[in-house]
Amino acid sequence: MDLKALKEQENKRRVSKGYMWALFCAVFWGIWYLPGTVIWVLNPFDEMFGAIAETNGDAISLVVTAALITAFNALTVMLALMLWNGVLQKFGELSRTLKEFNPCSKWFFLASIFGGPMAILGSFMAMGFIGGAFAAVAALLYPVIGSVLAYYWYGEKITKRAATGILVIILGGIVIFGGGLITELGTGEVPWIGYLGGLMAAIGWGIEGAIAGKGLDISEPDVGLTLRFLGENIIWWIIIVPILAIVGFPIYSFALQAFEPLTLLVLVFAGITFGFCYVSWYKSFPLIGVGRGQGIGNLYGFFAVIFIFLFFGDVPQWTILLGGALCILGSFVMFTEEAAEIETLRG
Amino acid sequence: MVQSEAAIEAYNAYWANSFIPGADIMWMVLILILAIIALWQARRFVSQF
């Protein structure tokens, strides 16, 4: 076999592994909506929501409760990533990357700001105000933000096929948001804060992907993602949770009550699904690019609707199904691109 | 804090209409199976690339 054929074979292997990791991301992200939804009815979060709502209203109560749930989610993700890095024997690499702040870890800490307080909190807000199926598909617009940023920032190639896929995803997003809004405008109840949460998720994850793509030029995805969650834990537990306590919310007292078997069990499974989803997402970026990785990762909306349907028995509205189908179609337009087209990811 | 009766009722209600028998346990089993497959693939990936 000559050198050219070997190179082509290696490229095909790289691309197929990239799509495999993006698909893993989609499956884990979709199933995360099961623990991510049921955690709201468990104590202390259920009583916390009620207690804060009595004095500060439903909207503020929801955001504060979502902040504590997200903080715990970040903590259990960190545990799952320790397991992941342990199995892959990456602790040495983790400490090496952590020490190289300027070239490497600064990107992951920056990514944690957009991915954590913005995207994940936004997703919880969408879930709390509107519902799990809506939250799952609301953020589907994020590959548009991610790939446009990656293109303008560091020249990641966007082929016509990838752009077509992105366009179909935008159409799907419009159907999802528009359909839901028309239905709820008809009833006179529009939970704007839920839609704002969906928008925060789309913008936050898009920006995070582009920033991570930059950091992954010079570091490993497994350790890069762990540092990103180290950053998110710092943001929640050292900055946001203490601020919420200082302004008068009883957040520490409810946080201590979370150490209850069923609550911890659900949080651990949320951590495993979210941690493994995120690490698969980061692993796909250097192999197929941020735009494609996020595009295929977008199938999470489809998997979430399937898992919610199978385990909760919830039949989603037709607008969510139609919008989700368009987003999946857009993802497959990207998926069927020839491997030779993306031999080099940068233009 | 132990779970209140209302919280347990609301938690169980989520799985009550499921199409899968023993859904309140099976979702965790499914996650564990997927996690093991992902770890196995990650080990293979490390050895191949």
Side-chain angles (χ1 to χ4, degrees), chain A residues 35-48:
Chain A
T37 303
V38 298
I39 193 69
W40 283 88
V41 300
L42 292 178
N43 281 317
F45 307 113
D46 181 41
E47 286 188 4
M48 179 182 176

Side-chain angles (χ1 to χ4, degrees), chain A residues 55-335:
Chain A
T55 52
N56 299 81
D58 281 0
I60 289 178
S61 176
L62 186 126
V63 174
V64 175
T65 310
L68 187 60
I69 292 175
T70 315
F72 271 109
N73 189 59
L75 206 59
T76 50
V77 164
M78 200 65 190
L79 293 176
L81 289 175
M82 286 294 119
L83 171 73
W84 182 276
N85 282 291
V87 170
L88 300 184
Q89 298 173 335
K90 294 266 175 97
F91 286 127
E93 184 63 28
L94 185 63
S95 127
R96 211 166 19 249
T97 310
L98 182 62
K99 284 176 196 160
E100 297 293 333
F101 182 78
N102 208 31
C104 289
S105 32
K106 70 171 180 193
W107 296 114
F108 301 116
F109 285 122
L110 192 61
S112 69
I113 295 170
F114 288 98
M118 192 167 180
I120 300 178
L121 180 64
S123 185
F124 270 121
M125 280 162 59
M127 202 185 294
F129 271 94
I130 301 174
F134 170 80
V137 288
L140 286 167
L141 284 167
Y142 80 95
V144 181
I145 316 270
S147 49
V148 169
L149 265 177
Y151 174 76
Y152 281 107
W153 187 8
Y154 42 82
E156 184 172 293
K157 256 193 339 194
I158 299 181
T159 57
K160 273 187 188 165
R161 206 180 175 94
T164 309
I166 289 167
L167 190 72
V168 178
I169 292 169
I170 294 175
L171 282 174
I174 291 168
V175 172
I176 291 160
F177 277 100
L181 255 185
I182 290 165
T183 310
E184 279 152 15
L185 276 171
T187 62
E189 288 173 24
V190 185
W192 288 105
I193 198 158
Y195 287 103
L196 176 71
L199 203 62
M200 279 165 65
I203 294 174
W205 274 314
I207 296 175
E208 181 194 353
I211 294 172
K214 185 77 180 163
L216 291 171
D217 278 349
I218 42 169
S219 67
E220 282 220 332
D222 309 292
V223 298
L225 192 262
T226 309
L227 293 180
R228 174 247 180 270
F229 268 96
L230 178 66
E232 190 176 325
N233 273 286
I234 291 170
I235 291 169
W236 288 114
W237 293 106
I238 300 181
I239 301 171
I240 296 178
V241 169
I243 288 174
L244 289 171
I246 289 165
V247 297
F249 294 108
I251 201 156
Y252 282 127
S253 109
F254 283 111
L256 287 172
Q257 292 172 41
F259 292 89
E260 190 276 335
L262 184 58
T263 305
L264 279 183
L265 189 70
V266 173
L267 282 170
V268 163
F269 276 93
I272 293 171
T273 49
F274 212 71
F276 284 19
C277 137
Y278 243 106
V279 81
S280 307
W281 201 47
Y282 270 44
K283 278 176 102 68
S284 74
F285 292 162
L287 300 168
I288 52 172
V290 172
R292 289 173 194 83
Q294 292 192 335
I296 300 305
N298 236 353
L299 289 172
Y300 82 87
F302 170 73
F303 284 111
V305 170
I306 296 286
F307 287 129
I308 286 169
F309 173 67
L310 284 177
F311 284 94
F312 292 165
D314 284 355
V315 181
Q317 283 183 337
W318 71 271
T319 48
I320 291 180
L321 284 176
L322 179 64
L326 279 170
C327 290
I328 290 160
L329 179 70
S331 300
F332 272 100
V333 168
M334 287 194 244
F335 182 70

Side-chain angles (χ1 to χ4, degrees), chain B residues 2-39:
Chain B
V2 289
Q3 295 297 334
S4 63
E5 206 172 299
I8 290 290
E9 212 169 278
Y11 176 80
N12 289 335
Y14 269 115
W15 317 105
N17 297 322
S18 173
F19 299 96
I20 295 169
D24 57 332
I25 302 292
M26 289 313 287
W27 72 276
M28 292 186 261
V29 174
L30 180 61
I31 288 172
L32 286 177
I33 292 169
L34 287 170
I36 290 165
I37 295 171
L39 279 169

